[in-house]
Amino acid sequence: MQEPEEKRIVQELLETEQAYVARLHLLDQVFFQELLKEARSSKAFPEDVVRLIFSNISSIYQFHAQFFLPELQQRLDDWTTTPRIGDVIQKLAPFLKMYSEYVKNFERAIELLATWTDKSLPFQDVLTRIQNSEASGSLTLQHHMLEPVQRIPRYELLLKEYVQKLPAQAPDLADAQKALDMIFSAAQHSNTAITEMERLQELWEVYQRLGLEDDIVDPSNTLLREGPVLKISFRRSGPMERYLFLFNNMLLYCVPRVIQVGAHFQVRTRIDVAGMKVRELTDAEFPHSFLVSGKQRTLELQARSQEEMIAWMQAFQAAIDQIEKRNETFKAAVQSPEGDPQEQELQSEELGLRAPQWVRDKMVTMCMRCREPFNALKRRRHHCRACGYVVCARCSDYRAELKYDSNRPNRVCLDCYTFLTGNVLPEDKEDKRRGILEKGSVAGSEQSLMCSFLQLVGDKWGKSGPRGWCVIPRDDPLVLYVYAAPQDMRAHTSIPLLGYQVTTGSQADPRVFQLQQSGQLYTFKAETEELRGRWVKAMERAASGWSPRGPNDGDLSD
């Protein structure tokens, strides 16, 4: 009678196991022992190198030679009375997880093997002698070392075929299926080990590039994204080259080292992902820019393209979401749905808890608290560490403890000092009454009928500068306010538009237009003809006495 298919598969399993044990014997008892013997006698290469190359091959060999192979042989000998194999594999399958250590070490072992083959002649001689022997079959050590890596998938294939060939009522069907599941688990364990090995290797390489600083090295971290970005400076006119490493729990803000000996980057700031927020910035001067606001610091960054900006923001949001799921005590990271810039100011309840977004120096020409103009000698610019406003020394002559900076005292403005400490200052230090020009341009820009930068042409403007931030506020629609910068709290010029005549400039430059009335002449130049057209329309309406009737009536702003 023809033997059943399932017995044929068990016979193949036994035969391949016998060949595999012979290969393990060659690896452990011949290659490993001979190299170890040479290392001890000649001292030409370290014993530890040999042990690292062969990892736990001795344990794997003993398990298969002393347990697995004898059990398979015994079961096949007793097949007539006990036609089953599932229970044997179930009993021994958990021990197959020892392969994880071997698999994790495999890539490093191959590198060490190549290195010492080139480096040590005695090492090379031992390998050559064994590889040329009949037992090795003229195959290299690397070829033999690959066998354990491939063995568990081979078990899975044979056992799967065995289960398929079993009759529906076979007594071994349930045990065989369970054994197959356990073999699959061992294979997954091995694959997981490979993935973990690759993650740790990548992480170690990153840490080496960062200089292996103690407070950064953590094997539990996962690198999510790295790459160069531009840092938008609040003092300089142009952005600066920086490099980011985003992990699952922190962002490392780095500067590339000029001389890359050892560490390639210097870590400037570490920002925790917990409590972090990220949103897109709408800045015409710096396209593809976004804001990363953390407890330790807030950064304005610029990507090289829109796609790169989106990729960075998605990576940040993924890290934030992961932290939020693990710890519900932190607030959800909320991005403004329209990317509106009004989120620039911190909510009052967040003052001191997270680093603010600093207002750039060039966006203001006067103190954002007392409205006095800055100058290089007597009134210099400072930043409030709580709200990020640009203020003068007199308005920031206060110190308060900030939680985001480990409760260290920091320079803060008067308003933040009062809020954070609860101390009330004497009346003589309180703000003076607003003057006629003290209409904040921030509020005017957000609630304006028309606003943009315009070139100020001619001697009429005096020392106010070649360009002005011009606003027609919604709540004061018949007046044009001209500021030196968009964030200024006081205009340097206000023009009541009622009765003015609006004229276009010469044909030589169609972007020029003028305001004229009884000897008064103001000349402006827009960046585009389309922008000039909107300004002319807005000023003609104001000159005729028109006022908006509803919240969106007559809005010409971009």
Side-chain angles (χ1 to χ4, degrees), residues 470-534:
C470 301
V471 179
I472 300 179
R474 181 172 291 277
D475 60 356
D476 198 1
L478 304 183
V479 180
L480 172 67
Y481 290 89
V482 183
Y483 301 85
Q487 299 284 351
D488 278 359
M489 306 303 291
R490 184 173 64 181
H492 63 71
T493 304
S494 65
I495 305 173
L497 295 172
L498 191 63
Y500 268 86
Q501 181 182 0
V502 185
T503 60
T504 57
S506 63
Q507 294 182 353
D509 195 340
R511 296 173 296 171
V512 174
F513 62 99
Q514 295 176 321
L515 283 174
Q516 186 173 5
Q517 183 189 56
S518 59
Q520 295 286 342
L521 179 65
Y522 297 94
T523 305
F524 304 88
K525 180 180 177 181
E527 291 185 2
T528 64
E529 291 186 55
E530 184 272 336
L531 182 60
R532 185 216 63 177
R534 286 193 284 127

Side-chain angles (χ1 to χ4, degrees), residues 4 49 95 104 109 113 141 143 152 174 222-223 236 281 320 345 365 393 404 419 504 511:
V49 169
F95 293 97
K104 279 195 293 186
L113 185 58
L141 174 57
H143 179 89
I152 293 183
T222 301
L223 180 66
R236 300 183 184 181
L281 294 174
I320 293 168
E345 294 187 25
T365 60
Y404 78 80
F419 178 86
T504 57
R511 296 173 296 171

